């Protein structure tokens, strides 16, 4: 007949395992009664207390497991839906506690969160529910992979975004399939997520997209390999830059690749860039000078003694490329001047 508050006080000081287990069972019965009465807000601090008990290293292993068992039984069902209602409320100030509870529920609550996310009508709700899935973490991955196969492009795109933010290596194969989705919006988000996740398999998939028929897809693959500084993508990007193209049809793509090389910041690219600047073009040389000037800027961005020596040598030749080298040398001097380092 003890009030819940007094019962919790007893549990808090109990050291005997059997007695602790008996008191926990009583707390579970009282908690279930609150659930039946719809007193979900009164359960909220009890759930948080049980998580603290489970994390308390001063408690025995049996006591911590017992606290977790009671938590899991009380937190499922209608109370989980009630917690998700709180996430929908922009004025609710204890969302981090809700996220903590959802994290410990794990896979038991994933489908409820996804169901609400799919039906969400505003950005605020989508943001909080996305955060909930991110806090739940790996247990949410199988359901998110299932979302990638949804016929609705909005649902598939949302799943691609979340999997990328999770950095889920387990989802790479499915994201590679999504990178060839019928809807470009899904393709682009899948590309971004693959770039964020990185690794050999994801990088190889992105490299394959460099020859895709869709220019926007090729550009996204290049851009995100640069943004994420994917060193494994360096050689494929340099090969694209140096690929023979007499008519200049891939000039804009080559420029994007150079920008990505600069972002990656790996000086192993220098020798290839030196060759590009020295290269002679018989047709439309003025148009190719734009590419060379961008290569000069990338060389300066990568820096180092060999870059400086090369730029000094080419600047002595004069002309449009020589002037670009001179400007870049000045920029490098300013960058290394005292106070600017």
């Amino acid at each position: 007949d003890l009030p819940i508050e007094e019962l919790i006080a007893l549990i808090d000081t109990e050291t005997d395992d059997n007695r602790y287990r008996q008191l926990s069972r009583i707390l579970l019965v009282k908690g279930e009664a609150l659930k039946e009465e719809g007193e979900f807000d009164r359960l909220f601090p009890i759930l948080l207390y049980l998580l603290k008990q489970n994390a308390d290293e001063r408690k025995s292993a049996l006591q911590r497991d017992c606290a977790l068992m009671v938590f899991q039984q009380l937190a499922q069902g209608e109370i989980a839906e009630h917690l998700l209602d709180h996430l929908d409320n922009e004025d609710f100030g204890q969302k981090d506690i809700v996220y903590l509870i959802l994290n410990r529920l794990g896979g038991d609550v994933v489908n409820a969160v996804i169901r609400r996310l799919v039906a969400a009508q505003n950005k605020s709700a989508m943001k909080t529910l996305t955060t909930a899935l991110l806090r739940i973490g790996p247990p949410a991955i199988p359901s998110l992979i299932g979302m990638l196969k949804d016929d609705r492009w909005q649902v598939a795109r949302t799943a691609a975004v979340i999997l990328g933010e999770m950095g889920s290596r387990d989802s790479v194969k499915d994201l590679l399939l999504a990178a060839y989705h019928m809807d470009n919006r899904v393709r682009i988000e899948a590309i971004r997520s693959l770039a964020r996740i990185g690794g050999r398999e994801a990088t190889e998939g992105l490299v394959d997209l460099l020859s895709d028929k869709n220019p926007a897809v090729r550009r996204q693959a290049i851009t995100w390999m640069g943004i994420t500084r994917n060193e494994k993508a360096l050689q494929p990007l340099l090969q694209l830059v140096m690929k023979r193209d007499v008519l200049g049809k891939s000039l804009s793509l080559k420029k994007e690749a150079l920008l990505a090389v600069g972002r990656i910041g790996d000086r192993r690219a220098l020798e290839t860039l030196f060759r590009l600047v020295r290269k002679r073009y018989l047709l439309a040389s003025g148009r190719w000078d734009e590419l060379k000037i961008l290569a000069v800027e990338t060389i300066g961005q990568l820096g180092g003694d060999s870059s400086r020596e090369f730029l000094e040598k080419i600047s002595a030749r004069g002309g449009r490329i020589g002037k670009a080298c001179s400007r870049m040398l000045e920029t490098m001097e300013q960058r290394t001047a005292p106070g600017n380092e």
Side-chain angles (χ1 to χ4, degrees):
D1 296 329
L2 283 175
I4 285 182
E5 291 75 17
E6 292 185 27
L7 179 59
I8 286 176
L10 283 176
I11 293 174
D12 201 37
T13 57
E14 186 58 62
T15 57
D16 180 77
D17 283 353
N18 288 329
R19 178 69 176 165
Y20 187 98
R21 182 160 45 194
Q22 291 172 352
L23 293 171
S24 296
R25 287 173 179 167
I26 297 172
L27 180 60
L28 175 59
V29 172
K30 289 181 176 289
E32 291 289 357
L34 289 177
K35 285 175 69 174
E36 290 179 6
E37 295 168 7
E39 296 286 342
F40 301 127
D41 284 335
R42 288 187 63 189
L43 273 172
F44 193 68
I46 297 174
L47 294 176
L48 184 59
Y49 167 77
L50 288 167
L51 286 181
K52 289 180 179 178
Q53 287 282 294
N54 175 250
D56 190 346
E57 295 182 357
R58 294 171 299 179
K59 298 292 183 182
S60 70
L62 184 145
Q63 292 172 7
R64 293 171 67 181
D65 289 344
C66 190
L68 181 61
M69 180 273 294
V70 176
F71 164 82
Q72 289 172 333
Q73 292 195 44
L74 289 180
Q76 294 183 37
E78 292 181 356
I79 181 63
E81 294 292 344
H82 181 70
L83 292 173
L84 294 176
D85 287 339
H86 278 314
L87 290 184
D88 287 340
N89 182 1
E90 294 185 19
D91 298 326
F92 184 69
Q94 295 181 299
K95 290 184 179 180
D96 281 337
I97 297 177
V98 175
Y99 292 142
L100 176 63
I101 293 172
L102 295 178
N103 169 266
R104 295 311 300 268
L105 284 173
D108 293 331
V109 77
V110 167
N111 289 335
V113 178
I114 288 178
R115 185 170 60 251
R116 291 191 177 223
L117 178 60
V118 170
Q121 298 295 318
N122 60 73
K123 290 183 178 180
S124 176
M126 291 184 67
K127 182 178 179 180
T128 54
L129 292 167
T130 296
T131 302
L133 289 171
L134 291 171
R135 295 292 181 89
I136 291 171
I141 290 174
S143 295
L144 288 168
I145 289 175
M147 286 175 64
L148 282 176
K149 302 168 186 175
D150 196 287
D151 293 334
R152 294 163 291 181
W153 69 265
Q154 300 96 325
V155 175
R157 185 180 68 173
T158 298
V161 171
I162 299 173
L163 288 167
E165 291 187 25
M166 281 185 177
S168 168
R169 293 289 178 96
D170 293 335
S171 65
V172 167
K173 289 182 180 179
D174 296 278
L175 284 169
L176 286 171
L177 292 175
Y180 292 92
H181 197 275
M182 292 180 63
D183 192 292
N184 280 345
R185 290 164 289 193
V186 178
R187 298 191 72 185
I188 288 171
E189 290 300 341
I191 288 168
R192 290 175 180 173
S193 292
L194 287 167
R196 288 191 183 105
I197 294 169
R200 180 183 60 81
E201 187 178 10
T203 301
E204 288 176 355
L206 292 172
V207 170
D208 289 341
L209 289 169
L210 295 182
S211 57
D212 195 88
K213 294 180 179 180
N214 189 319
V217 168
R218 294 200 301 268
R219 192 170 293 108
Q220 282 290 320
I222 292 170
T223 299
W224 279 96
M225 285 191 286
I227 290 174
T228 54
R229 297 183 176 182
N230 190 333
E231 293 182 358
K232 293 182 179 180
L234 182 63
Q235 289 306 316
L237 288 171
L238 291 173
Q239 289 171 7
L240 173 59
V241 170
M242 299 301 291
K243 187 176 179 180
R244 182 177 173 82
D245 181 21
V246 177
L247 300 178
K249 292 183 178 180
S250 61
L251 184 60
S252 62
L253 208 62
K254 289 175 181 287
K255 290 179 180 179
E256 293 288 343
L258 277 176
L259 291 172
V261 169
R263 291 191 182 107
I264 293 171
D266 192 327
R267 289 180 180 173
R268 288 178 297 176
L270 286 173
E271 287 300 325
T272 302
L273 296 177
F274 293 164
R275 292 205 314 272
L276 175 61
V277 175
R278 294 192 195 101
K279 191 172 181 179
R280 295 183 180 275
Y281 292 91
L282 300 177
L283 299 176
S285 58
R287 181 174 58 191
W288 291 108
D289 281 352
E290 297 175 11
L291 188 67
K292 289 186 177 185
I293 291 171
L294 185 55
V296 166
E297 294 172 356
T298 305
I299 290 169
Q301 186 177 344
L302 295 176
D305 293 338
S306 61
S307 294
R308 194 182 305 277
E309 292 172 4
F310 176 80
L311 293 174
E312 288 174 350
K313 183 177 180 180
I314 301 300
S315 65
R317 298 180 181 179
R320 190 178 178 188
I321 306 302
K323 290 178 181 179
C325 291
S326 298
R327 289 194 299 269
M328 184 47 60
L329 285 168
E330 291 176 6
T331 301
M332 293 174 70
E333 289 295 333
Q334 293 172 3
R335 193 187 303 155
T336 56
N340 294 332
E341 295 179 357

